[in-house]
Amino acid sequence: MTRITILFGGTNTERLVSVASAQALHQALPDADLWFWDVADTVHDVRSEALLNHARPFEDEFKPGNRGVAFEQALDQAHVENRLFVIGLHGGRAENGELQAMCEMRGIPFTGSGSASSHLAFDKIAAKRFAALAGVKAPKDVVLEQLDAAFAQYGKLIAKPVRDGSSYGLMFVNSRQDLVAVRRAAKTEDYLIEPCIAGVEATCAVLEQSDGPVIALPPIEIVPADGGFDYVAKYLAKSTQEICPGRFTPKTTEEIKDQALRAHGALSCTGYSRSDFIVSDKGPIYLETNTLPGLTNASLYPKALKAQGIEFADFLQDQIKLAARRARK
């Protein structure tokens, strides 16, 4: 018997979002085991009550309250116990392909994209290049050495970590003082810098079905709180609006869906993904693809599923079926 196991937590900045995703996953898969990957690189069995009663997952750290085992030891155990991971993790080693590679080497089935695709999509610069090969429109990169010239040319820039998610580290460059902040941040990690494109923020989920084609779900229009879609606006600000289906023309809707499908295919994603866009006066402009998008009750992907008429629990059961099928191959 395969033991369905929700793996959540993680060692990076998105571990708080992961706990909220795990709560939604557990509500839809109440019989699944719960494994928490702690920042100490240990894995802990978690009781249902401990997870569901954690009241402020986006703000407060989850504490497992029991002894765990080393991460690689837990993966060895998962292989012996015939576990299938429903991945409720986001960012870091969970989304850059490292976790997926470790599972693939052990023959552990898991939901979502494989190691190579995850690694490619996690690098925003590489993802843009591959998506562009499939005809996806993406903004130009600004190299750090030309930051002042680019600011003078475009007036506004946006800078974000090349390898991070949930809008951590996102910086809007509206003044010369912001240029100093970007240069300081770029000393400690790689940053992607682009012209700030005027338009409507949008995201489009893509779904692989076990018994049907890969489809794009209805695009979502995002109206951020205070004009910026950072971590607070995403998860804490009540004034952020997420309109699904988005208020786009039929032509723009189809363009967004087409671009999302192209990006999903160019990055060799499997299972599901979600691509982000700015809808400018020149049409949808691609920003990035998430191979493990948020699955919280407030997240965008479940909203797109609902707009498509797909129950969250049915989506998960189908993803489990796909994961098992891929593992058999």
Side-chain angles (χ1 to χ4, degrees), residues 1 6 8 19 35 111 121-122 124 132 141 145-146 153 188 207 217 231 240 264 269 285 292 320-321:
M1 288 285 293
I6 297 169
F8 70 105
V19 174
W35 277 17
T111 56
F122 195 65
K124 295 182 180 70
D141 294 349
E145 292 77 14
Q146 297 175 353
Q153 179 180 356
T188 57
L207 173 65
L217 304 182
Y231 182 84
T240 295
H264 182 93
C269 298
I285 306 297
L292 288 177
I320 289 169
K321 188 184 299 184

Side-chain angles (χ1 to χ4, degrees), residues 52-306:
L52 297 180
N53 291 337
H54 185 64
R56 297 159 63 94
F58 295 115
E59 300 164 77
D60 298 337
E61 294 279 359
F62 179 80
K63 302 295 183 182
N66 56 10
R67 290 177 64 92
V69 300
F71 179 63
E72 291 203 37
Q73 182 181 343
L75 292 183
D76 292 337
Q77 178 184 334
H79 170 67
V80 171
E81 294 175 348
N82 196 31
R83 292 181 181 270
L84 183 153
F85 286 145
V86 174
I87 299 182
L89 298 149
H90 311 296
R93 295 160 64 196
E95 200 162 355
N96 71 1
E98 184 175 329
L99 168 66
Q100 289 79 3
M102 296 173 79
C103 288
E104 287 164 355
M105 288 186 288
R106 291 169 172 82
I108 303 168
F110 56 89
T111 56
S113 292
S115 59
S117 175
S118 299
H119 187 73
L120 177 59
F122 195 65
D123 185 315
K124 295 182 180 70
I125 294 175
K128 281 204 319 179
R129 289 173 181 164
F130 273 68
L133 294 175
V136 176
K137 302 175 187 175
K140 296 179 180 179
D141 294 349
V142 173
V143 298
L144 198 62
E145 292 77 14
Q146 297 175 353
L147 192 59
D148 289 289
F151 180 67
Q153 179 180 356
Y154 298 110
K156 292 183 179 181
L157 304 172
I158 189 166
K160 48 195 171 184
V162 172
R163 302 169 195 89
D164 213 334
S166 280
S167 303
Y168 284 101
L170 183 69
M171 303 172 71
F172 293 95
V173 182
N174 299 311
S175 68
R176 295 206 168 273
Q177 185 176 350
D178 296 329
L179 298 177
V180 176
V182 170
R183 287 193 173 94
R184 186 185 303 119
K187 290 179 180 179
T188 57
E189 65 179 308
D190 294 333
Y191 261 74
L192 169 63
I193 306 166
E194 299 169 331
C196 193
I197 299 168
V200 178
E201 296 192 38
T203 192
C204 187
V206 172
L207 173 65
E208 179 185 352
Q209 304 169 103
S210 66
D211 58 354
V214 178
I215 62 170
L217 304 182
I220 298 175
E221 176 187 351
I222 300 165
V223 184
D226 301 322
F229 201 44
D230 59 6
Y231 182 84
V232 173
K234 266 189 179 183
Y235 299 113
L236 302 175
K238 291 184 170 64
S239 54
T240 295
Q241 298 179 60
E242 297 162 349
I243 303 165
C244 186
R247 298 169 297 183
F248 306 112
T249 65
K251 179 176 181 290
T252 299
T253 295
E254 290 308 309
E255 288 178 345
I256 295 171
K257 292 169 77 171
D258 175 68
Q259 297 275 293
L261 285 167
R262 287 174 183 265
H264 182 93
L267 301 173
S268 300
C269 298
T270 52
Y272 61 103
S273 71
R274 200 198 76 226
S275 291
D276 299 336
F277 300 88
I278 292 291
V279 181
S280 72
D281 55 4
K282 297 180 181 178
I285 306 297
Y286 172 80
L287 300 178
E288 63 181 283
T289 294
N290 304 271
T291 55
L292 288 177
L295 296 175
T296 76
N297 289 325
S299 290
L300 299 167
Y301 201 99
K303 291 180 179 180
L305 288 169
K306 184 176 181 180

Side-chain angles (χ1 to χ4, degrees), residues 38-58:
D38 191 45
V39 290
D41 213 23
T42 51
V43 174
H44 305 251
D45 274 310
V46 172
R47 293 181 297 105
S48 174
E49 298 79 12
L51 175 60
L52 297 180
N53 291 337
H54 185 64
R56 297 159 63 94
F58 295 115

